[in-house]
Each structure stands twice: as structure tokens, then as C-alpha cells.
Amino acid sequence: MTLRPSDLAREHGLSAQAVRNYERDGFLPPADRTPSGYRIYTEVHAAALRAFLALVPAFGHAAAAGS
């Protein structure tokens, strides 16, 4: 199953830009791209985002990211 940034964003109440920023900042694994350059996310990305967002309230962004 492939997902768009907006699909991940909707599930978590985020903006699609926030999802792209989390990928850029290394909180999500790098996404594959379509031939035209669109990001392709998978269930692995969705699970990583769920895990990261679950840790943020307790530990903050830096600790949740492993920084």
C-alpha cells in the first residue's frame, strides 16, 4: 500500500508539510519517489510516524528523535 503525505497527515491531524519536514529532519525514513518526483510513503513510514508522535508528549521532539 502506498500513501501520500496528505494520507499520513490526515491520520495524525498534521499538515502534509509537517510530514515532509519530519522526513527531511530524519524522524521518518527517506521516502521513495515516483518518476515525477512525488513522495511514496508506506506502512513503515506510518508506523514510524505513529511511534515518533507517541514519544513526543512524554519526551519532547529532540529525545523522541534520538538526538
Side-chain angles (χ1 to χ4, degrees):
M1 172 187 348
T2 61
L3 303 164
R4 299 169 299 172
S6 60
D7 297 326
L8 290 179
R10 190 176 311 108
E11 177 182 345
H12 300 288
L14 302 170
S15 68
Q17 185 62 53
V19 172
R20 291 188 294 268
N21 292 347
Y22 286 150
E23 178 193 353
R24 178 200 64 208
D25 295 341
F27 303 146
L28 299 178
D32 288 332
R33 301 282 185 134
T34 66
S36 56
Y38 290 98
R39 288 172 174 84
I40 301 171
Y41 293 112
T42 66
E43 184 53 40
V44 170
H45 296 94
L49 183 58
R50 281 192 290 276
F52 173 71
L53 292 175
L55 292 172
V56 168
F59 299 102
H61 279 87
S67 301

